[in-house]
Amino acid sequence: MDSDDAAVEVRKLLTEAAHVFSEYVQQSQQPGAQVSGHIQGVIADAAQSESDARMFPDAGVGSRVWDDVRDVCAGAANTWSSAFLYKLYAAPAPMGIVAETLLAVLNNNAHVTRAAPSGAAIEQAVARKLAQLLGFPSSADGLTFPGGSYANLHALMTARNTRFPDVRTRGMSSVRGAVFTSAHAHYSIDKAAVAAGFGLDSVVHVPTDSVGCMDVHKLRKLMLESRARGVEPFFVNATMGTTVLGACDPIASISRVCREFGAWLHVDGSWGGPHALFGDDPACSVHNIHIDSFVVNPHKLLGVPLQCSFLIMRQGLNVMRRALGLGATYLFHDEQACGESDVPCDVGDATLGCGRRPDAIKFWLMWRYYGTQYFTRRVAQARNTSLRLAELVRTRTSLLGRWVLVTEPASTCVCFWFVPCAFNDKRSEWGDATRRMCTHINDGGSMLLDYATVDVFDGINTCTLPKFFRIPINNPSVSSATLNDVLNAIESAAAELFP
């Protein structure tokens, strides 16, 4: 295909795609639109052996592919609906879609600067701006990663190899280190410890208080006990916005403990990090706090298309290159050390992988198009909507049962029970009732909700709460009407299941 033919085909396909995609978005935002996907068309036949020729034709189907695209859309979860309250993300902002398309057009690989010059420059600029907003020193820098879990792994691996440098050559045989994290932290910290060779037995889950925040006194006590056993407490993960309750650990107090022990402090702000970057709550500020690394996922609360995650390093990227790099000279030719020049370095050597998408472009183009105020308003709106939902739960009365908040929302997750009358005196069965109501609603297809459970400390004992509804607020289209629809749907499910 010559260049003219390629340009013509790109123009033709993108024009057709714009029509199909905008049609899908418009339909998806209509009241009553299906939220859960329904597999149809040739995709529904994928499991049948006789469908192989239909799924993978020898001769292409040409323009009929748009029927397949519509089938893919029909079988997808509808994140554009305000009734998609299922996970910690929602539909992307429209400019994000344009930026995502641009990445495909460019097809650049951001492992080497010359392979993605504009992408490398933008990544460096955005990372340093985020570091500035966090109050990090001018030496700070960062990288994008395909998700917060992978970013957390890189933080742990960098901390491990910095604290135990012989690991790079001799392996883990002589290393005795412990990882400390909240009992409510994301499971990726445990997975990272496994991948880093420490094993789950080396992960210490620090108890939380009654609202889900790490107990700093217990953290210090557990770190003292670990050191007394000859196991070095070298890494502490604090969470800003836990996955379930949305709690924010007391980072300033944790930082002081980490400085006492010489431990690396990592903050997983995958969900709640935007509150520190663009929020106005002083409790979420991390200025003047010594933090070694910080993760934030713009693809969650900020509406950037999946995936876009940043890992910000206080000491810049050289600490990652020293810890993780191998200096493969056949690939990495730059002679500038990261942070020592305005020219971006070949950052692929600072990661565990090689090929990298220049995802920072998506975040930056949204920033340019909408401005900082867009992210500020989005974070504020999500927080205010969460508080509004909590107030509705707190004050709502029903002849079918009673509404009970698990805890006041610390960020943008609202957790509560609806207790049908038949279960008033049966707290041990609240969890099963929640699961059944949630499944009933999701099976209806017009709304997607989720439920969860956590262990909490009541001052004397740790207990596991019965399953409860967990509603993450992210989508800016969620209105007061949406919130009332959610509560009405739960009561209707209770009426049908527990008459």
Side-chain angles (χ1 to χ4, degrees), residues 296-311:
V296 63
N297 287 1
H299 69 236
K300 290 184 176 176
L301 195 54
L302 299 181
V304 178
L306 285 159
Q307 292 169 300
C308 183
S309 302
F310 270 89
L311 171 61

Side-chain angles (χ1 to χ4, degrees), residues 114-240:
R114 287 191 184 275
S118 58
I122 290 168
E123 181 174 29
Q124 183 181 79
V126 174
R128 291 179 177 179
K129 180 61 177 178
L130 294 179
Q132 177 191 13
L133 291 174
L134 291 169
F136 277 32
S138 60
S139 59
D141 212 330
L143 295 174
T144 59
F145 286 93
S149 295
Y150 200 42
N152 286 337
L153 170 63
H154 275 75
L156 178 57
M157 294 288 278
T158 301
R160 183 199 69 176
N161 292 4
T162 301
R163 178 62 183 81
F164 308 107
D166 288 347
V167 165
R168 285 172 50 89
T169 53
R170 300 179 183 177
M172 292 287 291
S173 59
S174 61
V175 172
R176 299 192 69 199
V179 174
F180 293 79
T181 189
S182 158
H184 289 190
H186 193 265
Y187 70 90
S188 61
I189 302 300
D190 294 59
K191 282 198 169 187
V194 172
F198 290 101
L200 292 177
D201 288 346
S202 295
V203 180
V204 181
H205 295 105
V206 183
T208 66
D209 59 20
S210 60
V211 295
C213 299
M214 184 189 291
D215 187 320
V216 182
H217 297 295
K218 287 187 170 59
L219 168 66
R220 185 175 184 278
K221 178 175 180 291
L222 290 167
M223 292 176 76
L224 284 170
E225 292 173 354
S226 179
R227 180 166 283 178
R229 294 193 304 270
V231 181
E232 185 62 19
F234 81 100
F235 184 90
V236 176
N237 171 69
T239 305
M240 178 173 286

Side-chain angles (χ1 to χ4, degrees), residues 325-347:
L326 294 176
T329 55
Y330 69 89
L331 182 61
F332 304 114
H333 305 317
D334 73 295
E335 297 179 356
Q336 293 286 352
C338 293
E340 296 178 1
S341 169
D342 290 334
V343 178
C345 65
D346 291 344
V347 297

Side-chain angles (χ1 to χ4, degrees), residues 263-447:
W264 182 289
L265 174 57
H266 173 65
V267 175
D268 180 6
S270 295
W271 174 233
H275 292 277
L277 293 165
F278 301 106
D280 58 2
D281 185 352
C284 294
S285 173
V286 293
H287 281 249
N288 302 316
I289 300 175
H290 186 96
I291 296 168
D292 294 288
S293 52
F294 190 102
V295 168
V296 63
N297 287 1
H299 69 236
K300 290 184 176 176
L301 195 54
L302 299 181
V304 178
L306 285 159
Q307 292 169 300
C308 183
S309 302
F310 270 89
L311 171 61
I312 307 300
M313 304 295 288
R314 184 181 195 86
Q315 300 175 53
L317 299 187
N318 272 338
V319 66
M320 295 182 71
R321 295 181 93 176
R322 288 191 295 268
L324 306 174
L326 294 176
T329 55
Y330 69 89
L331 182 61
F332 304 114
H333 305 317
D334 73 295
E335 297 179 356
Q336 293 286 352
C338 293
E340 296 178 1
S341 169
D342 290 334
V343 178
C345 65
D346 291 344
V347 297
D349 200 32
T351 73
L352 294 170
C354 185
R356 306 177 64 248
R357 283 166 53 89
D359 284 322
I361 293 175
K362 298 185 292 188
F363 190 16
W364 178 72
L365 283 178
M366 282 183 55
W367 208 326
R368 288 282 295 173
Y369 185 75
Y370 296 114
T372 304
Q373 59 185 358
Y374 170 80
F375 300 123
T376 301
R377 285 198 305 266
R378 186 165 176 134
V379 170
Q381 181 177 343
R383 176 61 176 155
N384 291 334
T385 303
S386 301
L387 295 174
R388 195 180 314 131
L389 176 56
E391 181 65 16
L392 286 174
V393 170
R394 188 186 303 107
T395 59
R396 187 176 175 108
T397 59
S398 173
L399 296 176
L400 298 169
R402 60 190 177 99
W403 295 89
V404 182
L405 271 178
V406 174
T407 184
E408 292 293 329
S411 53
T412 49
C413 281
V414 185
C415 300
F416 57 85
W417 291 282
F418 180 67
V419 185
C421 293
F423 296 89
N424 260 335
D425 300 321
K426 302 175 182 178
R427 184 180 171 87
S428 62
E429 298 180 29
W430 289 11
D432 186 60
T434 299
R435 178 190 60 80
R436 291 176 62 187
M437 286 184 285
C438 191
T439 301
H440 184 79
I441 292 167
N442 291 348
D443 286 346
S446 60
M447 184 177 289

